[in-house]
Short mmCIF file of all heavy atoms in Angstrom, two decimals:
data_model
loop_
_atom_site.label_atom_id
_atom_site.label_comp_id
_atom_site.label_asym_id
_atom_site.label_seq_id
_atom_site.Cartn_x
_atom_site.Cartn_y
_atom_site.Cartn_z
N PRO I 999 -31.49 154.21 -147.54
CA PRO I 999 -32.53 153.30 -148.05
C PRO I 999 -32.83 153.48 -149.53
O PRO I 999 -33.93 153.18 -149.99
CB PRO I 999 -33.74 153.64 -147.18
CG PRO I 999 -33.56 155.06 -146.83
CD PRO I 999 -32.06 155.25 -146.69
N TRP I 1000 -31.88 153.99 -150.30
CA TRP I 1000 -32.05 154.12 -151.74
C TRP I 1000 -30.69 153.85 -152.40
O TRP I 1000 -29.68 153.76 -151.73
CB TRP I 1000 -32.58 155.49 -152.14
CG TRP I 1000 -31.81 156.64 -151.58
CD1 TRP I 1000 -30.62 157.15 -152.06
CD2 TRP I 1000 -32.14 157.44 -150.45
NE1 TRP I 1000 -30.21 158.20 -151.29
CE2 TRP I 1000 -31.12 158.41 -150.29
CE3 TRP I 1000 -33.21 157.44 -149.55
CZ2 TRP I 1000 -31.13 159.36 -149.28
CZ3 TRP I 1000 -33.21 158.39 -148.54
CH2 TRP I 1000 -32.19 159.33 -148.41
N THR I 1001 -30.73 153.68 -153.71
CA THR I 1001 -29.51 153.39 -154.46
C THR I 1001 -29.28 154.48 -155.52
O THR I 1001 -30.16 155.31 -155.76
CB THR I 1001 -29.61 152.03 -155.18
OG1 THR I 1001 -30.71 152.05 -156.07
CG2 THR I 1001 -29.76 150.88 -154.18
N THR I 1002 -28.12 154.43 -156.14
CA THR I 1002 -27.82 155.33 -157.24
C THR I 1002 -28.63 154.90 -158.46
O THR I 1002 -29.25 153.84 -158.46
CB THR I 1002 -26.32 155.30 -157.59
OG1 THR I 1002 -25.99 153.98 -158.05
CG2 THR I 1002 -25.46 155.69 -156.40
N ALA I 1003 -28.59 155.69 -159.51
CA ALA I 1003 -29.33 155.37 -160.74
C ALA I 1003 -28.89 154.04 -161.33
O ALA I 1003 -29.69 153.34 -161.95
CB ALA I 1003 -29.15 156.49 -161.77
N ASP I 1004 -27.64 153.65 -161.11
CA ASP I 1004 -27.16 152.37 -161.64
C ASP I 1004 -27.21 151.24 -160.61
O ASP I 1004 -26.62 150.19 -160.80
CB ASP I 1004 -25.76 152.51 -162.24
CG ASP I 1004 -24.71 152.96 -161.23
OD1 ASP I 1004 -25.08 153.34 -160.10
OD2 ASP I 1004 -23.52 152.93 -161.58
N GLY I 1005 -27.94 151.47 -159.51
CA GLY I 1005 -28.20 150.40 -158.55
C GLY I 1005 -27.16 150.21 -157.46
O GLY I 1005 -27.25 149.26 -156.68
N ARG I 1006 -26.18 151.09 -157.37
CA ARG I 1006 -25.17 150.96 -156.32
C ARG I 1006 -25.67 151.57 -155.01
O ARG I 1006 -26.48 152.49 -155.02
CB ARG I 1006 -23.87 151.64 -156.75
CG ARG I 1006 -23.24 150.95 -157.95
CD ARG I 1006 -21.93 151.54 -158.32
NE ARG I 1006 -21.96 152.99 -158.20
CZ ARG I 1006 -21.00 153.79 -158.58
NH1 ARG I 1006 -19.91 153.31 -159.12
NH2 ARG I 1006 -21.10 155.10 -158.42
N PRO I 1007 -25.19 151.05 -153.87
CA PRO I 1007 -25.65 151.58 -152.58
C PRO I 1007 -25.18 153.02 -152.37
O PRO I 1007 -24.15 153.43 -152.89
CB PRO I 1007 -25.01 150.65 -151.55
CG PRO I 1007 -23.95 149.90 -152.26
CD PRO I 1007 -24.24 149.96 -153.72
N CYS I 1008 -25.96 153.76 -151.61
CA CYS I 1008 -25.63 155.14 -151.22
C CYS I 1008 -25.32 155.15 -149.73
O CYS I 1008 -26.00 154.47 -148.95
CB CYS I 1008 -26.80 156.08 -151.49
SG CYS I 1008 -27.15 156.35 -153.21
N TYR I 1009 -24.35 155.94 -149.36
CA TYR I 1009 -23.95 156.05 -147.96
C TYR I 1009 -23.95 157.52 -147.55
O TYR I 1009 -23.73 158.41 -148.37
CB TYR I 1009 -22.55 155.48 -147.74
CG TYR I 1009 -22.48 153.99 -147.97
CD1 TYR I 1009 -22.17 153.48 -149.21
CD2 TYR I 1009 -22.74 153.11 -146.93
CE1 TYR I 1009 -22.11 152.11 -149.43
CE2 TYR I 1009 -22.68 151.74 -147.14
CZ TYR I 1009 -22.36 151.24 -148.39
OH TYR I 1009 -22.31 149.89 -148.60
N LEU I 1010 -24.15 157.75 -146.27
CA LEU I 1010 -24.15 159.10 -145.70
C LEU I 1010 -23.03 159.19 -144.68
O LEU I 1010 -22.94 158.36 -143.77
CB LEU I 1010 -25.49 159.41 -145.03
CG LEU I 1010 -25.59 160.71 -144.25
CD1 LEU I 1010 -25.39 161.91 -145.18
CD2 LEU I 1010 -26.93 160.80 -143.55
N SER I 1011 -22.18 160.19 -144.85
CA SER I 1011 -21.14 160.46 -143.87
C SER I 1011 -21.64 161.59 -142.98
O SER I 1011 -21.68 162.74 -143.39
CB SER I 1011 -19.84 160.88 -144.57
OG SER I 1011 -18.87 161.22 -143.62
N ALA I 1012 -22.06 161.25 -141.80
CA ALA I 1012 -22.59 162.25 -140.86
C ALA I 1012 -22.20 161.86 -139.45
O ALA I 1012 -22.15 160.68 -139.11
CB ALA I 1012 -24.11 162.35 -140.98
N GLN I 1013 -21.97 162.84 -138.64
CA GLN I 1013 -21.57 162.58 -137.26
C GLN I 1013 -22.74 162.26 -136.34
O GLN I 1013 -22.54 161.76 -135.26
CB GLN I 1013 -20.80 163.79 -136.71
CG GLN I 1013 -19.51 164.06 -137.44
CD GLN I 1013 -18.52 162.91 -137.30
OE1 GLN I 1013 -18.44 162.30 -136.25
NE2 GLN I 1013 -17.78 162.63 -138.35
N GLY I 1014 -23.94 162.53 -136.77
CA GLY I 1014 -25.09 162.27 -135.90
C GLY I 1014 -26.35 162.02 -136.68
O GLY I 1014 -26.42 162.28 -137.88
N PRO I 1015 -27.38 161.55 -135.99
CA PRO I 1015 -28.64 161.20 -136.65
C PRO I 1015 -29.57 162.39 -136.90
O PRO I 1015 -30.67 162.21 -137.38
CB PRO I 1015 -29.28 160.21 -135.67
CG PRO I 1015 -28.77 160.66 -134.34
CD PRO I 1015 -27.39 161.17 -134.58
N ASP I 1016 -29.12 163.61 -136.56
CA ASP I 1016 -30.01 164.75 -136.64
C ASP I 1016 -29.81 165.61 -137.88
O ASP I 1016 -30.41 166.67 -138.00
CB ASP I 1016 -29.87 165.62 -135.39
CG ASP I 1016 -30.35 164.89 -134.14
OD1 ASP I 1016 -31.32 164.12 -134.25
OD2 ASP I 1016 -29.74 165.09 -133.08
N SER I 1017 -28.99 165.16 -138.83
CA SER I 1017 -28.82 165.94 -140.04
C SER I 1017 -30.10 165.86 -140.89
O SER I 1017 -30.90 164.93 -140.74
CB SER I 1017 -27.62 165.44 -140.85
OG SER I 1017 -27.92 164.19 -141.45
N ARG I 1018 -30.26 166.80 -141.75
CA ARG I 1018 -31.46 166.85 -142.60
C ARG I 1018 -31.58 165.59 -143.46
O ARG I 1018 -32.65 165.00 -143.58
CB ARG I 1018 -31.40 168.09 -143.48
CG ARG I 1018 -32.59 168.33 -144.31
CD ARG I 1018 -32.43 169.65 -145.04
NE ARG I 1018 -33.65 169.96 -145.75
CZ ARG I 1018 -33.82 171.06 -146.44
NH1 ARG I 1018 -32.88 171.95 -146.50
NH2 ARG I 1018 -34.96 171.27 -147.06
N LEU I 1019 -30.47 165.16 -144.06
CA LEU I 1019 -30.49 163.97 -144.91
C LEU I 1019 -30.74 162.71 -144.09
O LEU I 1019 -31.45 161.81 -144.53
CB LEU I 1019 -29.18 163.85 -145.69
CG LEU I 1019 -29.13 162.80 -146.78
CD1 LEU I 1019 -30.28 162.97 -147.77
CD2 LEU I 1019 -27.80 162.85 -147.50
N SER I 1020 -30.20 162.66 -142.90
CA SER I 1020 -30.43 161.50 -142.03
C SER I 1020 -31.90 161.40 -141.63
O SER I 1020 -32.48 160.31 -141.63
CB SER I 1020 -29.54 161.61 -140.79
OG SER I 1020 -29.63 160.44 -140.01
N ARG I 1021 -32.50 162.53 -141.32
CA ARG I 1021 -33.94 162.52 -140.98
C ARG I 1021 -34.78 162.12 -142.19
O ARG I 1021 -35.75 161.38 -142.05
CB ARG I 1021 -34.36 163.89 -140.44
CG ARG I 1021 -33.85 164.18 -139.04
CD ARG I 1021 -34.51 165.41 -138.41
NE ARG I 1021 -34.52 166.57 -139.27
CZ ARG I 1021 -33.56 167.50 -139.35
NH1 ARG I 1021 -32.49 167.38 -138.58
NH2 ARG I 1021 -33.68 168.53 -140.16
N MET I 1022 -34.39 162.58 -143.39
CA MET I 1022 -35.13 162.18 -144.58
C MET I 1022 -34.99 160.67 -144.81
O MET I 1022 -35.97 160.00 -145.15
CB MET I 1022 -34.61 162.93 -145.81
CG MET I 1022 -35.40 162.60 -147.06
SD MET I 1022 -35.04 163.62 -148.50
CE MET I 1022 -33.36 163.21 -148.83
N ALA I 1023 -33.80 160.12 -144.57
CA ALA I 1023 -33.60 158.68 -144.71
C ALA I 1023 -34.47 157.93 -143.70
O ALA I 1023 -35.05 156.89 -144.03
CB ALA I 1023 -32.13 158.32 -144.53
N ASP I 1024 -34.57 158.45 -142.48
CA ASP I 1024 -35.44 157.83 -141.47
C ASP I 1024 -36.89 157.80 -141.96
O ASP I 1024 -37.60 156.79 -141.79
CB ASP I 1024 -35.38 158.59 -140.15
CG ASP I 1024 -34.06 158.44 -139.42
OD1 ASP I 1024 -33.30 157.50 -139.73
OD2 ASP I 1024 -33.78 159.29 -138.54
N GLU I 1025 -37.35 158.90 -142.56
CA GLU I 1025 -38.72 158.97 -143.07
C GLU I 1025 -38.93 157.97 -144.21
O GLU I 1025 -39.97 157.30 -144.25
CB GLU I 1025 -39.03 160.39 -143.54
CG GLU I 1025 -39.13 161.40 -142.42
CD GLU I 1025 -39.23 162.83 -142.91
OE1 GLU I 1025 -39.42 163.05 -144.14
OE2 GLU I 1025 -39.13 163.75 -142.08
N VAL I 1026 -37.96 157.87 -145.11
CA VAL I 1026 -38.08 156.92 -146.22
C VAL I 1026 -38.11 155.50 -145.67
O VAL I 1026 -38.91 154.67 -146.13
CB VAL I 1026 -36.93 157.11 -147.23
CG1 VAL I 1026 -36.90 155.98 -148.25
CG2 VAL I 1026 -37.07 158.46 -147.94
N GLU I 1027 -37.26 155.20 -144.69
CA GLU I 1027 -37.28 153.86 -144.08
C GLU I 1027 -38.64 153.55 -143.49
O GLU I 1027 -39.17 152.44 -143.66
CB GLU I 1027 -36.20 153.74 -143.00
CG GLU I 1027 -34.80 153.62 -143.54
CD GLU I 1027 -33.76 153.50 -142.45
OE1 GLU I 1027 -34.09 153.63 -141.25
OE2 GLU I 1027 -32.59 153.24 -142.80
N THR I 1028 -39.23 154.50 -142.78
CA THR I 1028 -40.55 154.30 -142.19
C THR I 1028 -41.59 154.02 -143.26
O THR I 1028 -42.43 153.12 -143.12
CB THR I 1028 -40.94 155.55 -141.36
OG1 THR I 1028 -39.99 155.71 -140.30
CG2 THR I 1028 -42.33 155.40 -140.76
N GLU I 1029 -41.54 154.77 -144.37
CA GLU I 1029 -42.48 154.55 -145.47
C GLU I 1029 -42.27 153.17 -146.10
O GLU I 1029 -43.24 152.47 -146.42
CB GLU I 1029 -42.32 155.64 -146.52
CG GLU I 1029 -42.81 157.00 -146.06
CD GLU I 1029 -42.49 158.11 -147.04
OE1 GLU I 1029 -42.06 157.81 -148.18
OE2 GLU I 1029 -42.67 159.28 -146.67
#
């Protein structure tokens, strides 16, 4: 739910939704 400094999309390569970064993304989405 955020972009790079130059506005490009960011992606997460993770096997599951329980990684620390995935949980942080969930929190940002909720906010």
Side-chain angles (χ1 to χ4, degrees):
W1000 52 80
T1001 59
T1002 63
D1004 61 351
R1006 295 184 320 187
C1008 291
Y1009 294 91
L1010 173 63
S1011 176
Q1013 296 297 323
D1016 294 325
S1017 72
R1018 185 176 186 178
L1019 190 54
S1020 186
R1021 287 191 311 271
M1022 183 171 65
D1024 290 342
E1025 291 172 10
V1026 170
E1027 286 180 353
T1028 298
E1029 290 173 10

